[in-house]
Amino acid sequence: MSDTTIATRRRAAALPAGERRSMIIEATLPLILENGDMVTTRQIADAAGIAEGTIFRVFADKEELLAAVIDAALDPSPFEQSLRAIDPGVALEPTVTKAVELSQRRVVDVWRLASSIGTRFHDRAKRPMLESPALVALLKRHRDELTVSPTVAARTLRAFTFAMSHPMMIDEPASPRDIARRFLYGVAKKEA
């Protein structure tokens, strides 16, 4: 750089508050999974690439940030969107296998989060498993192949996936294909 060239360092453009909030939440989740609720705002700021004070322009305190991260992680919208993205032209077994894969990932992710947070956040994390409209819609495409309504099939599949995936219920989670096949074909031998 020559003497006549003045190097200027520009500050990054400010993000709208909603985008900044989302960016901080996204950067915080992996830190909670690694450090639990003992994560520091310095670690969060470093991971988000922001000044520590920026956190407090969006969140009143660390507790509010952690609560927002938990709420975001438990939000079923991304899960529902991923189910809606499954190709409607796929046969029942691969459809169920993909749905199980997505459900299984969610079970494990939510369990990891619940295991990482302090007990003061457990009430926030205790939520009933809501219906999955996207899973019901996915199974409606195969209504003529089901022995129960798509709603009952969706509830059963989610419960089955939970039971065969949750680290507190089974030593080694079953593969999505195994769960799908057991769900679809059962465990009994067919009558001759």
Side-chain angles (χ1 to χ4, degrees):
M1 184 181 299
S2 72
D3 292 336
T4 58
T5 306
I6 298 173
T8 57
R9 188 172 177 183
R10 292 187 152 183
R11 186 175 165 181
L15 292 174
E19 286 180 40
R20 185 179 314 130
R21 180 181 177 86
S22 296
M23 184 257 314
I24 294 169
I25 289 170
E26 187 176 317
T28 304
L29 180 58
L31 295 172
I32 291 176
L33 294 175
E34 183 180 329
N35 303 296
D37 61 352
M38 298 306 292
V39 64
T40 66
T41 53
R42 165 64 24 222
Q43 290 170 309
I44 294 166
D46 289 346
I50 57 174
E52 194 171 0
T54 302
I55 295 169
F56 302 108
R57 287 190 199 115
V58 182
F59 299 96
D61 54 27
K62 181 179 149 187
E63 296 296 307
E64 183 181 308
L65 168 57
L66 295 179
V69 171
I70 292 164
D71 289 343
L74 296 176
D75 178 7
S77 300
F79 171 69
E80 290 291 302
Q81 289 172 355
S82 61
L83 287 171
R84 282 188 208 97
I86 295 174
D87 182 354
V90 175
L92 179 59
E93 186 175 324
T95 294
V96 170
T97 301
K98 183 63 178 174
V100 168
E101 179 184 323
L102 297 169
S103 298
Q104 196 172 43
R105 188 175 314 134
R106 181 153 172 82
V107 165
V108 172
D109 288 350
V110 169
W111 177 81
R112 285 183 62 213
L113 176 66
S115 298
S116 298
I117 59 175
T119 56
R120 69 185 182 279
F121 292 107
H122 280 190
D123 284 343
R124 190 170 214 95
K126 287 182 184 175
R127 297 179 183 183
M129 188 185 312
L130 301 175
E131 295 288 343
S132 172
L135 185 57
V136 172
L138 191 64
L139 293 171
K140 275 184 183 176
R141 298 174 190 160
H142 300 278
R143 177 65 181 109
D144 58 333
E145 299 173 71
L146 302 173
T147 60
V148 296
S149 74
T151 301
V152 170
R155 286 181 193 149
T156 305
L157 180 58
R158 291 182 75 198
F160 205 67
T161 301
F162 181 86
M164 295 184 70
S165 304
H166 195 286
M168 297 298 288
M169 297 186 77
I170 191 165
D171 291 334
E172 182 78 24
S175 74
R177 184 173 187 274
D178 287 345
I179 294 171
R181 292 182 63 76
R182 287 189 198 156
F183 167 76
L184 290 169
Y185 310 119
V187 294
K189 291 181 181 180
K190 296 191 184 225
E191 292 183 18

